[in-house]
Amino acid sequence: MNQHKNLMVNYLSSHKSTPPISGDRRTRRTPSDTSSNIRRPANRPRQGLQNSSKHLSRTPQRKATIHEIPDEVLLKVFSFFGAQDLILVSQVCQRWRNLANDNSLWRPIFLKYAPKSGTEASGTGSLNSLSQLKTACIRRCIEQRNKRVFRYLRKKSPYTGIAQQRDVEKALTDSCVFWQLAFVDASNNEVCIQSRDLSIHTMAASVRWYNFDSQSLQSTKAIRIYSCNPIFFDTKKGCAVKDSPYQRSLLMTFQLKWSSWVGTNKPVGENDTINIYSLPRGLAIAVWKDGGEVAFVCVSFHLHHLVDRCLRGNSVEPFCPPLPPVITDDIDSAFGLHGYNCTVQLRTMKQQIWDQQFRGLNCRSNHGGGYAQFVLIEPHERQIINKEIVFPWKTEAFKGKVQNACWLDITVIDETGDVFWAASALVNSKATSRVGASSLDFEYCDDGARSIDLIDEVGKFHMEFSQTDDRDIYITQAILGLTLKAINARFSSSYR
């Protein structure tokens, strides 16, 4: 190596120092020998090299993108994902959707969470498309979940005639359902808030949301409430898989124009800090008096068909349970006007205030205002309420009580044993004049008379209270009304 280096150095040195030979055509040219007197700067490159450098500088350095990764590599990357991640990446683009739905990725998920027969467990089942296994896996997991959950609901409560409280609680706990409240703006965008604050009572279940971040109702077009039902379960642990994909079922939608609603409806309860408004279908919204922002939202779902509505609905339309068959009777002239059982409960979010059942109810001869009326409590049949009618509330930072407000749950069973009317709503006991005071044999305070009213498209309920000088509260009257329209539709009658 050193010998070659020395020869190269000597050669260059000799050629650099050798003067030009006279008469040699290869003499070196000087600037004066050129045809132009323009001098080129010493550091200026030659024209050819300059153009070449400009061309190289304009060419951007090209980088590979993720779209140039071969399908085989992406499939290998996706093979480390769970079901939730595969569903997420399938929403990126069409190519990723096709890859994320590939049967090779969903086969281990299917075998882990949804095998049923020996053929499927061995992976030899026939598949007609490259993405059929994902659909089959999700469908099978939902079927297994529903089969496991609905086995709790085979018996009815002998007291209320609907599913028993403890059975509904087991079903909702086993399905790991949670609840989602969505505020919808004018562009149909949803701001969703989740909650697992569930309280189950004899006839209804209450859910509450109170972790709001300056949520205003002025820009809200609608309010939607969903049940979120996980799909994949760990059968050994008996719970949903962490971060499992879930199925949303729409439970209710309420079109809201808040300024108009507040202008035409009074609060059902208030104190120094909040106003509570009762909306249809068991929805209640509390707003701060200072600023008008949402303090908390709570909703009460009647237990009748609640699990069906949660697990069998979809995100677009609520589940509609089948209507009982129409019953006819050509012999009984008062068919559909007798034999009813009614259960009534007053409660808070957590505790019961008063509960009573009334059996063998028969309609009076007069049908006032399109209703068949049933008297539950006469003035001389007063019943005492041992607890205060109050609505406790709380948020992340505050808590308090609203006087003279509570939840009212009603279940009416007809003579065939089917549910005729099921309702649950937040009501207030408002001051009223005492009715039938002359017929009362008890001493009540003149300013202690109050009443509760609930009405919807199927029925109405009216209850009156009176307070004694000893501060005891008694129910002095309770009347149930069922619309003749609903009775005619159920019993194929023509009452007016």
Side-chain angles (χ1 to χ4, degrees):
M1 178 63 71
N2 293 333
Q3 182 180 1
H4 289 288
K5 183 177 181 181
N6 293 333
L7 289 175
M8 181 61 68
V9 170
N10 294 333
Y11 175 80
L12 295 175
S13 300
S14 62
H15 281 71
K16 182 177 181 181
S17 60
T18 302
I21 301 175
S22 178
D24 191 352
R25 296 179 180 178
R26 294 177 298 175
T27 56
R28 297 176 60 187
R29 300 179 62 184
T30 62
S32 61
D33 296 331
T34 61
S35 58
S36 175
N37 293 328
I38 300 175
R39 299 181 62 182
R40 180 184 294 116
N43 60 349
R44 182 175 179 179
R46 294 184 180 181
Q47 188 69 25
L49 296 177
Q50 184 180 11
N51 294 337
S52 177
S53 63
K54 288 182 179 180
H55 177 71
L56 292 176
S57 63
R58 290 196 190 103
T59 305
Q61 294 183 357
R62 190 172 180 275
K63 296 182 180 180
T65 65
I66 196 170
H67 299 289
E68 298 177 0
I69 298 178
D71 291 352
E72 294 78 9
V73 177
L74 284 177
L75 283 173
K76 182 63 177 178
V77 175
F78 291 172
S79 66
F80 296 97
F81 292 172
Q84 174 75 357
D85 297 325
L86 289 177
I87 293 176
L88 289 177
V89 299
S90 68
Q91 302 176 37
V92 173
C93 61
Q94 185 63 40
R95 181 190 175 210
W96 282 30
R97 178 183 178 86
N98 296 334
L99 292 174
N101 293 344
D102 192 271
N103 286 335
S104 62
L105 301 177
W106 284 90
R107 187 177 301 278
I109 300 175
F110 183 90
L111 297 178
K112 183 176 181 180
Y113 297 111
K116 187 175 181 181
S117 63
T119 302
E120 292 170 340
S122 62
T124 59
S126 59
L127 299 173
N128 298 327
S129 66
L130 295 177
S131 61
Q132 184 181 5
L133 199 54
K134 172 187 174 181
T135 304
C137 179
I138 294 177
R139 182 177 63 251
R140 178 63 54 76
C141 288
I142 292 176
E143 291 174 353
Q144 291 180 347
R145 178 201 65 194
N146 292 353
K147 182 179 179 180
R148 184 179 67 254
V149 169
F150 281 107
R151 67 184 180 184
Y152 296 112
L153 307 177
R154 295 175 181 174
K155 295 182 180 180
K156 292 183 179 181
S157 169
Y159 180 65
T160 61
I162 60 175
Q164 300 188 59
Q165 172 185 347
R166 63 174 182 271
D167 293 342
V168 175
E169 187 172 5
K170 289 180 182 179
L172 295 178
T173 302
D174 193 270
S175 62
C176 299
V177 62
F178 58 97
W179 316 88
Q180 195 174 82
L181 172 68
F183 295 94
V184 187
D185 61 17
S187 301
N188 208 34
N189 298 319
E190 292 185 344
V191 177
C192 298
I193 303 172
Q194 296 182 1
S195 175
R196 297 181 184 271
D197 188 355
L198 174 69
S199 302
I200 300 180
H201 303 271
T202 305
M203 293 180 287
S206 299
V207 185
R208 177 171 50 189
W209 296 265
Y210 50 83
N211 51 341
F212 297 99
D213 185 15
S214 302
Q215 180 65 42
S216 175
L217 294 173
Q218 300 300 329
S219 59
T220 301
K221 182 186 70 173
I223 292 178
R224 298 171 185 161
I225 297 181
Y226 300 90
S227 69
C228 301
N229 317 297
I231 297 176
F232 296 99
F233 287 80
D234 189 334
T235 55
K236 294 182 179 180
K237 296 182 179 180
C239 61
V241 176
K242 183 180 180 181
D243 297 328
S244 168
Y246 58 84
Q247 165 195 21
R248 287 204 313 176
S249 295
L250 180 63
L251 298 178
M252 74 167 60
T253 299
F254 183 77
Q255 302 298 327
L256 183 66
K257 292 183 179 179
W258 185 247
S259 57
S260 300
W261 176 265
V262 174
T264 56
N265 294 271
K266 295 182 179 180
V268 296
E270 62 178 319
N271 58 14
D272 295 337
T273 55
I274 64 170
N275 287 328
I276 305 179
Y277 295 88
S278 180
L279 285 71
R281 297 189 293 277
L283 182 62
I285 299 178
V287 296
W288 300 110
K289 286 188 173 181
D290 184 12
E293 297 174 340
V294 178
F296 62 87
V297 175
C298 50
V299 63
S300 182
F301 300 110
H302 200 280
L303 296 187
H304 183 50
H305 287 305
L306 176 59
V307 180
D308 295 87
R309 294 167 59 196
C310 290
L311 301 184
R312 291 177 173 168
N314 57 58
S315 61
V316 179
E317 296 180 351
F319 172 76
C320 294
L323 297 176
V326 177
I327 302 175
T328 59
D329 192 323
D330 298 333
I331 301 176
D332 188 356
S333 60
F335 188 56
L337 298 178
H338 54 73
Y340 289 92
N341 296 331
C342 178
T343 308
V344 184
Q345 184 178 76
L346 303 178
R347 60 175 177 84
T348 66
M349 289 288 294
K350 301 293 184 180
Q351 296 181 350
Q352 172 184 310
I353 298 175
W354 177 81
D355 181 281
Q356 186 64 47
Q357 186 177 69
F358 306 90
R359 290 182 171 272
L361 299 176
N362 299 322
C363 176
R364 288 183 172 180
S365 58
N366 59 327
H367 313 313
Y371 287 86
Q373 294 186 358
F374 304 84
V375 178
L376 307 183
I377 298 177
E378 295 275 9
H380 63 277
E381 300 172 339
R382 67 174 189 170
Q383 294 192 17
I384 191 170
I385 297 180
N386 295 317
K387 295 182 180 180
E388 183 182 14
I389 298 179
V390 65
F391 181 82
W393 62 271
K394 72 172 184 177
T395 64
E396 288 185 328
F398 303 97
K399 64 180 180 179
K401 293 182 179 181
V402 174
Q403 298 293 329
N404 301 317
C406 65
W407 291 104
L408 170 61
D409 304 329
I410 297 178
T411 303
V412 178
I413 307 297
D414 61 25
E415 60 180 298
T416 66
D418 292 324
V419 175
F420 187 89
W421 185 34
S424 181
L426 184 65
V427 297
N428 70 321
S429 60
K430 55 188 177 181
T432 183
S433 59
R434 198 182 313 142
V435 178
S438 60
S439 64
L440 299 179
D441 298 330
F442 311 98
E443 295 294 333
Y444 295 105
C445 299
D446 293 336
D447 58 348
R450 309 188 71 87
S451 65
I452 285 178
D453 290 280
L454 172 63
I455 184 170
D456 65 11
E457 62 276 4
V458 178
K460 66 179 181 179
F461 178 78
H462 175 77
M463 177 182 287
E464 294 183 3
F465 309 88
S466 292
Q467 191 175 46
T468 64
D469 295 334
D470 297 331
R471 313 302 294 177
D472 294 329
I473 300 176
Y474 287 88
I475 302 175
T476 57
Q477 189 176 50
I479 298 176
L480 169 69
L482 301 177
T483 62
L484 296 179
K485 179 180 179 181
I487 293 176
N488 293 336
R490 175 75 174 96
F491 296 98
S492 186
S493 55
S494 57
Y495 298 117
R496 295 182 181 178

